[in-house]
Amino acid sequence: MTYRGQSYDALDTAYIPASRMEQQRQYLNHQYAFPAKPRNMWEIGINAGLVNIIGDVPSKGPWNAPKFLNSIGFGATIRKALGYATSVRLQYNYMGATGFDYRGRDAGNEAPWNLPGSTYSGKVYNNYKFNGHEATLQLVGSINNIKFHKAKNVVSLYGFIGGGALIWQTKVSTKNAQGQNYDFATLDRQTTAKAKNDLYKQWLKDADNYNYLVTKSDYTGSGQAGMSIGDNSVTPVLVGGLGIQFKLGNRVSLNFEDKITYAGLDNLDGVTMDPVVGGGLSSDKDFINYASVGLSFNIGNKKRSVLPLWWVNPMDHIYNELADPRHMKLPDPVLPDADGDGVTDQFDKCPDTPAGVAVDAHGCPLDTDGDGVPDYKDKQLITPTECQPVDADGVGKCPDPECCKNMTAAGCNLGAGSICFKSNSAKLSSEAQNQLANLAAQMKAAPTCKVVVMGNAGNSKVQQQRSWDRVNAVIEYMSETQQISRDQFIFQYQGGTGDVNCVMYRSAMPGEEGPSNLPPPHPQLGTKK
């Protein structure tokens, strides 16, 4: 089977699983118009990136967080195509985030600074450290693998949406390394920007001593912490995002992706804002943003599985079939033949031949004796050359007896001529075959007459063998194709003085005899046909 298609051969059943083989069989038998979906590879991936919480407290990056791991994430994915545009993906991510707010807030309006037992008053500076484990199932949509102007794509744009669970823990630092409350009021006593920045840095350093565990009950007022595992809260989440994937090879691709996680909570950053004294809690919810880079690997037997379908262009098979049909049923070509003589109009040199008239290869009526009058009008089918030209009925006017001395006593005057060949060849041209067909018609009308076929050989062995081959080609054509007895020919391949590339023929003289066949003089030097 000849391979077709740059992605895979849609007619190759090696790619079709047993569950879909019946559809493929129907497609191959022209019982169903669509080929079966091929078996395709799984994709596994790894990723790492930056995590920040979009909430009430500004996040820190890995370059300015108290600890590097507090603001990065990593994870793994397993993905399988459902079709050419959709796939399903299982993703796990560990996420760490940290933040510090340089804006002073009223401690009386914000948790955990105003919770029972707290001694804070005046302005406070919020901070947090978040750790989370997220597992989600996502529906992924690819938007650019179906192409109409090229067979393959090396860049895949995709979006995804899904849901799952988040196991998380957020802590707030309310005391310094010595276990004492932060003296936030000292910031207001600083008179220079440098002194304030130095104090910020010290607090940020001390903030790695996170001592307060945030739970749902801190903000719900219900006293219920919700579902938890040890010190970790468990929350259902929704995720969504966009990504771009670059194919590095048939097995590896590079991914850039941004994912947003929505948990429906406002305390992932440890703070629920209450901007109005005595007012209700803020309705703003926190989001987790994860910007990552990753590598993906296609897993599967390439002889039995195609690439994941978001890399396969389904138009590939369609366009290859249209450009060079192999499976489509095409009608037999219908070539126009206006006069119905069996020669298509494109090659018919006589397009108006009457019905039922025999024609030659050019679509013209046969003229056996070559007198210019077609056979279907010729009242004298075989007119000797000496009796031509002829009248409108194809009847010739032969010369008076005193002018016919050269005619044999038996009336064997079949005319003379020459058959010429291409250099180094003994193959009869179509013109030569037409000429010999005319001679055959004359010989059939005079079965007792003989014809001398004479070659023009030179002095070399090659020329002698070539002359023999050409004489033999003429006699074989007359005997095998035109059904003329070989005994009606006299074989002569030497002695001629004409063109060495031509064979002469003439009527035998009265009493002239000779062999109808001779052995080749130098068979090892035979001329190509």
Side-chain angles (χ1 to χ4, degrees):
M1 178 181 291
T2 303
Y3 180 82
R4 296 284 180 86
Q6 297 190 37
S7 297
Y8 80 104
D9 190 340
L11 301 187
D12 192 345
T13 57
Y15 295 110
I16 309 301
S19 60
R20 295 192 286 270
M21 190 61 72
E22 177 60 22
Q23 178 183 339
Q24 184 73 1
R25 183 192 64 78
Q26 292 180 7
Y27 172 70
L28 295 176
N29 292 336
H30 301 281
Q31 297 171 331
Y32 191 67
F34 296 87
K37 185 176 75 173
R39 183 188 296 107
N40 65 98
M41 298 180 181
W42 289 77
E43 180 192 84
I44 61 173
I46 54 175
N47 57 76
L50 303 179
V51 180
N52 69 289
I53 293 179
I54 304 172
D56 304 308
V57 179
S59 292
K60 288 290 185 180
W63 51 88
N64 58 7
K67 289 186 178 180
F68 178 78
L69 292 178
N70 284 356
S71 58
I72 66 170
F74 55 84
T77 59
I78 300 176
R79 183 178 174 188
K80 181 64 174 169
L82 300 176
Y84 290 91
T86 58
S87 56
V88 63
R89 183 173 75 170
L90 180 64
Q91 183 175 43
Y92 162 78
N93 281 119
Y94 165 79
M95 297 179 289
T98 186
F100 188 91
D101 196 344
Y102 296 98
R103 300 166 299 179
R105 306 287 184 178
D106 189 344
N109 296 322
E110 297 181 11
W113 315 102
N114 64 351
L115 294 176
S118 173
T119 60
Y120 279 97
S121 62
K123 289 185 178 180
V124 296
Y125 294 85
N126 294 305
N127 63 80
Y128 72 89
K129 180 179 74 170
F130 168 87
N131 291 303
H133 299 270
E134 178 187 86
T136 57
L137 185 65
Q138 305 159 7
L139 181 66
V140 185
S142 302
I143 62 175
N144 70 324
N145 65 313
I146 300 176
K147 293 185 174 295
F148 294 90
H149 303 291
K150 62 187 301 185
K152 294 182 178 181
N153 66 312
V154 295
V155 179
S156 177
L157 302 174
Y158 61 93
F160 59 92
I161 188 170
L166 175 68
I167 303 175
W168 62 278
Q169 180 186 98
T170 298
K171 287 188 175 183
V172 175
S173 177
T174 63
K175 298 179 183 296
N176 61 22
Q178 289 75 39
Q180 301 169 339
N181 288 344
Y182 292 114
D183 184 9
F184 292 122
T186 58
L187 186 66
D188 297 329
R189 295 194 291 270
Q190 306 303 316
T191 58
T192 65
K194 181 179 184 306
K196 289 185 177 183
N197 286 332
D198 289 342
L199 191 57
Y200 280 138
K201 291 179 181 178
Q202 183 60 46
W203 286 345
L204 183 62
K205 181 179 179 181
D206 289 343
D208 195 35
N209 177 37
Y210 297 99
N211 61 294
Y212 185 82
L213 177 65
V214 176
T215 65
K216 292 181 181 179
S217 62
D218 291 334
Y219 306 102
T220 61
S222 64
Q224 300 296 321
M227 184 176 178
S228 62
I229 299 177
D231 290 337
N232 298 292
S233 296
V234 181
T235 303
V237 294
L238 297 176
V239 297
L242 298 172
I244 184 169
Q245 195 170 18
F246 297 91
K247 186 164 66 172
L248 305 180
N250 284 337
R251 291 287 187 178
V252 185
S253 58
L254 176 67
N255 313 323
F256 295 93
E257 183 175 299
D258 191 72
K259 175 168 66 72
I260 296 292
T261 299
Y262 175 72
L265 300 175
D266 191 24
N267 58 334
L268 295 179
D269 60 358
V271 174
T272 298
M273 301 291 290
D274 186 5
V276 180
V277 177
L281 299 179
S282 169
S283 61
D284 294 338
K285 305 301 181 183
D286 294 341
F287 293 85
I288 304 173
N289 183 76
Y290 177 52
S292 64
V293 60
L295 288 175
S296 296
F297 306 91
N298 299 328
I299 305 300
N301 186 341
K302 65 180 181 180
K303 293 183 179 180
R304 291 174 47 82
S305 301
V306 304
L307 293 179
L309 293 183
W310 58 87
W311 291 118
V312 177
N313 182 4
M315 301 299 294
D316 186 20
H317 171 55
I318 298 172
Y319 276 128
N320 273 281
E321 189 68 16
L322 290 174
D324 188 8
R326 180 179 52 155
H327 178 68
M328 290 190 301
K329 285 186 175 181
L330 299 179
D332 293 334
V334 178
L335 301 177
D337 179 15
D339 55 9
D341 60 2
V343 178
T344 182
D345 291 347
Q346 183 179 0
F347 304 105
D348 199 336
K349 293 183 178 180
C350 301
D352 299 319
T353 304
V357 173
V359 297
D360 59 17
H362 302 292
C364 293
L366 290 176
D367 180 13
T368 302
D369 54 9
D371 59 3
V373 179
D375 290 353
Y376 77 97
K377 293 182 178 180
D378 201 334
K379 295 182 179 180
Q380 188 178 38
L381 189 61
I382 304 298
T383 303
T385 305
E386 290 78 6
C387 301
Q388 300 181 20
V390 298
D391 60 19
D393 295 323
V395 178
K397 184 178 180 182
C398 291
D400 295 331
E402 61 268 23
C403 301
C404 302
K405 299 176 183 179
N406 294 329
M407 296 184 69
T408 65
C412 293
N413 190 355
L414 303 179
S418 62
I419 303 295
C420 294
F421 297 82
K422 292 183 180 180
S423 179
N424 300 326
S425 174
K427 182 179 180 180
L428 291 168
S429 65
S430 57
E431 291 80 3
Q433 292 178 8
N434 291 336
Q435 186 176 347
L436 292 175
N438 185 23
L439 176 61
Q442 298 178 51
M443 294 181 71
K444 289 177 181 178
T448 60
C449 295
K450 290 190 175 184
V451 172
V452 179
V453 183
M454 180 172 58
N456 300 313
N459 296 323
S460 69
K461 294 181 180 180
V462 172
Q463 290 178 333
Q464 291 174 7
Q465 181 61 38
R466 185 181 299 143
S467 176
W468 185 93
D469 289 334
R470 289 168 172 170
V471 172
N472 186 63
V474 170
I475 295 177
E476 278 191 351
Y477 176 81
M478 295 294 283
S479 62
E480 295 179 3
T481 303
Q482 298 295 334
Q483 307 301 314
I484 303 298
S485 173
R486 196 177 183 102
D487 293 337
Q488 285 186 252
F489 296 95
I490 297 176
F491 196 116
Q492 294 183 6
Y493 69 91
Q494 297 189 85
T497 58
D499 190 338
V500 295
N501 287 321
C502 296
V503 170
M504 312 297 293
Y505 64 85
R506 61 173 174 80
S507 296
M509 301 300 292
E512 186 177 4
E513 297 292 339
S516 62
N517 198 4
L518 289 174
H522 308 288
Q524 73 277 10
L525 302 176
T527 306
K528 62 182 180 180
K529 296 293 186 181

